[in-house]
Structure formats: C-alpha cells, structure tokens
C-alpha cells in the first residue's frame, strides 16, 4: 500500500501558543491528528530542547519558515548561525516566508534576486539543507512581454531543486490559476511541500478549509501532490472570528481535511 502524504501544521496558525507553551501546544497538535509541524520565524529555543519535544510527541519537522533577512539578507554570521541551527535540528527545507516585494516589480529585479537565491542554495548544500520559497500574491503578477507569472519566472531562474511551497490561499488572492500553477511546479519537480490555506472571494482569509465559500480545490491539489511525490502537506489556519481560540480552529481544520481528502493523499 502506498504511503500517504503526511499532514502537518504551520506554526503561523498558533504562533502565540507556541511561544508561550511549546510543550503543551505541540502535544495538543499531535492529539488533533497532525503528523508534523513547520516552525516559523527566528530560532526560539535550543535545538536539543525542540528535538526532544518533537520526539516526545511523535511529530516530524522537516521544514522551517524563515524571514529573508535571517537567511540571505543579513551578514555571513547570521547565515551560518541559522544554517547551523537548522542542521542540528535535522531540518531539510529552509523556506523563505516571503521574498522581497520589489523582486516582483521587474524581471531585472527578479533576476538579481534569483541569483542571490542560487548562491545561498549552494552555500546550504554542505548542511544537507534545500532552499525554497513560500508564495504570497505578488508572485502571480504577469510579466507582460513573456506572458508568464513571476512565480513561473522564479522557477526558471533558480536551481532545479529550489522548492516552491505553493500556498493556494495566497495565490487565490493574486487571481492565480491554482491548479495550473501547482501542476507546473509539480512537473518541474518543485512541489516537495504544499501549504494548504483556504480563501473566500467574499471574506478572503476569514473562512475555514472546506467551507462553502472556500474556492480551493483540495481534491485536485492532493492528487497532483501525490503524483508529484510531495513530501508533506502543511495546513495553515488564520481565521480569527470562527472559533473561540486558534487550537479549536486547527483541530477542526485537520479533522475536516483528513475526512474529506485523506483518501487522495
């Protein structure tokens, strides 16, 4: 029987809870049915401590979202400290949460940015860490002469193993072709991670995965990811009005996701 794609939780969903009670929050995350966790932001605790808490709760952690300055817009010491931290934790994917918006204002700016990403991809190889980026919505602006989105151009300008962690909720805000963009990334071998987040044309991110107003086709996305060999699907919950607290939201979200789409993983 084929191994199912594991489902993890993005820290953005419960960042306040993680920062105040790491052990209790990760225990709750596991009890809800998540298989892994994707941290976000600057290092928060010593690697040995985080590794122990993850192991105690049976949670994987293969990727970490970092701000751009933490990885490649700072000095060499910041880069080395970050890479050492990730390597000690056994993180395989270092994902830039959001790339500088000015990169998407011209092809020239994007070329310069992609050259920087390529340089740092090579610098991370000795650590067994692969660099990648998580999309927002500016990436789906069209470059008129080429007729391609900046997300597509970024793929063409970076090394073959540079990861594009597709976020359909953010992409929907940018009026992207959700299935088409994910399929192109999958065909190019860039879809190692999928970052699932709902989007409503009326309420934007104030919805929950699978609601009637959520426009994302998760069945198709799961099927594409399965064929592409996607290693992990991470769920993000950021609706602040539907539940009394974030933990209730992430619990309901994973229960709904696995019940409706688990057969396609």
């Amino acid at each position: 029987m084929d191994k199912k794609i594991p489902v993890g939780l993005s820290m953005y969903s419960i960042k306040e809870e993680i920062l105040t009670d790491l052990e209790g929050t990760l225990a709750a995350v596991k009890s809800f049915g998540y298989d892994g966790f994707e941290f976000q932001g600057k290092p928060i605790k010593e690697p040995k401590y985080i590794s122990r808490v993850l192991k105690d709760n049976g949670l994987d952690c293969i990727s970490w979202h970092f701000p751009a300055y933490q990885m490649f817009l700072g000095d060499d010491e910041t880069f080395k400290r970050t890479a050492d931290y990730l390597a000690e934790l056994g993180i395989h994917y270092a994902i830039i949460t959001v790339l500088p918006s000015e990169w998407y204002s011209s092809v020239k700016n994007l070329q310069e940015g992609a050259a920087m990403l390529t340089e740092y991809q090579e610098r991370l190889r000795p650590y067994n860490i692969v660099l990648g980026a998580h999309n927002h919505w500016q990436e789906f602006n069209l470059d008129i002469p080429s007729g391609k989105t900046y997300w597509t151009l970024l793929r063409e300008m970076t090394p073959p193993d540079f990861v594009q962690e597709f976020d359909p909720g953010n992409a929907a805000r940018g009026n992207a072709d959700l299935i088409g963009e994910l399929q192109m990334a999958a065909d190019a071998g860039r879809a190692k991670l999928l970052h699932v987040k709902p989007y409503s044309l009326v309420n934007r991110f104030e919805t929950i995965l699978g609601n009637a107003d959520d426009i994302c086709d998760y069945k198709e996305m799961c099927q594409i990811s399965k064929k592409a060999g996607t290693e992990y699907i991470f769920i993000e919950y950021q609706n602040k009005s539907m539940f009394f607290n974030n933990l209730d939201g992430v619990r309901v979200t994973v229960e709904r996701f696995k019940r409706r789409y688990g057969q396609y993983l």
Side-chain angles (χ1 to χ4, degrees), residues 16 50 69 72 77 92 97 147 164 176 192 208 254:
E16 293 88 358
I50 291 179
Y69 69 81
F72 61 87
E77 180 56 34
H92 187 53
T97 306
Q164 289 187 299
K192 299 300 182 184
I208 189 168
V254 72

Side-chain angles (χ1 to χ4, degrees), residues 4-265:
K4 287 183 176 291
I5 304 173
V7 178
L9 179 66
S10 162
M11 177 175 159
Y12 189 84
S13 311
I14 51 170
K15 55 186 176 181
E16 293 88 358
E17 291 82 356
I18 285 291
L19 294 175
T20 56
D21 181 13
L22 179 68
E23 294 190 27
T25 302
L26 288 182
V29 168
K30 180 63 177 182
S31 73
F32 297 156
Y34 287 96
D35 306 301
F37 193 73
E38 184 178 57
F39 282 94
Q40 181 203 26
K42 298 185 293 183
I44 57 173
K45 299 284 186 179
E46 290 299 315
K48 289 182 180 179
Y49 173 69
I50 291 179
S51 293
R52 179 183 65 77
V53 177
L54 288 166
K55 183 178 180 180
D56 287 349
N57 288 289
L59 290 168
D60 302 322
C61 186
I62 69 167
S63 65
W64 193 304
H65 272 216
F66 272 94
Y69 69 81
Q70 192 75 24
M71 187 57 68
F72 61 87
L73 295 181
D75 54 30
D76 285 346
E77 180 56 34
T78 300
F79 167 81
K80 185 178 185 306
R81 187 166 58 248
T82 302
D84 286 340
Y85 183 89
L86 293 177
E88 188 172 348
L89 269 172
I91 301 294
H92 187 53
Y93 295 109
I95 306 297
I96 305 301
T97 306
V98 54
L99 294 172
S101 59
E102 59 267 24
W103 288 14
Y104 304 115
S105 62
S106 73
V107 172
K108 180 178 181 296
N109 286 352
L110 187 63
Q111 288 173 331
E112 293 173 356
M116 189 181 299
L117 293 174
T118 299
E119 174 192 345
Y120 279 84
Q121 178 86 311
E122 295 306 314
R123 292 180 64 179
L124 284 168
R125 291 194 192 284
Y127 296 90
N128 192 33
I129 295 172
V130 176
L131 191 61
H134 160 260
N135 66 270
H136 280 66
W137 41 90
Q138 311 97 310
E139 294 88 339
F140 302 100
N141 294 338
L142 275 180
D143 169 55
I144 301 303
S146 68
K148 299 177 181 179
T149 66
Y150 281 92
W151 192 239
T152 293
L153 292 172
L154 178 67
R155 184 165 56 249
E156 295 176 352
M157 296 176 183
T158 47
D161 56 348
F162 181 84
V163 172
Q164 289 187 299
E165 185 176 0
F166 186 63
D167 182 327
N170 283 344
R173 182 173 173 182
N175 297 313
D177 173 2
L178 304 186
I179 300 304
E181 290 288 351
L182 178 58
Q183 186 65 67
M184 286 190 289
D187 290 344
R190 306 298 186 98
K192 299 300 182 184
L193 307 172
L194 176 63
H195 190 104
V196 169
K197 180 169 65 186
Y199 188 77
S200 164
L201 294 176
V202 176
N203 301 308
R204 290 195 172 180
F205 301 116
E206 289 297 310
T207 185
I208 189 168
L209 186 148
N211 264 16
D213 62 341
D214 178 9
I215 67 172
C216 299
D217 184 348
Y218 303 109
K219 174 182 174 181
E220 185 70 16
M221 290 179 197
C222 288
Q223 290 175 326
I224 291 171
S225 298
K226 183 72 173 179
K227 292 178 182 177
T230 295
E231 296 179 28
Y232 238 98
I233 293 176
F234 291 103
I235 287 174
E236 180 182 330
Y237 168 83
Q238 65 177 63
N239 186 321
K240 302 300 182 184
S241 61
M242 193 165 288
F243 294 96
F244 289 113
N245 61 65
N246 293 330
L247 289 174
D248 281 341
V250 300
R251 174 183 55 79
V252 171
T253 298
V254 72
E255 289 172 354
R256 182 178 291 190
F257 185 78
K258 286 192 170 183
R259 183 172 65 251
R260 296 186 182 184
Y261 311 107
Q263 62 184 306
Y264 307 111
L265 296 176

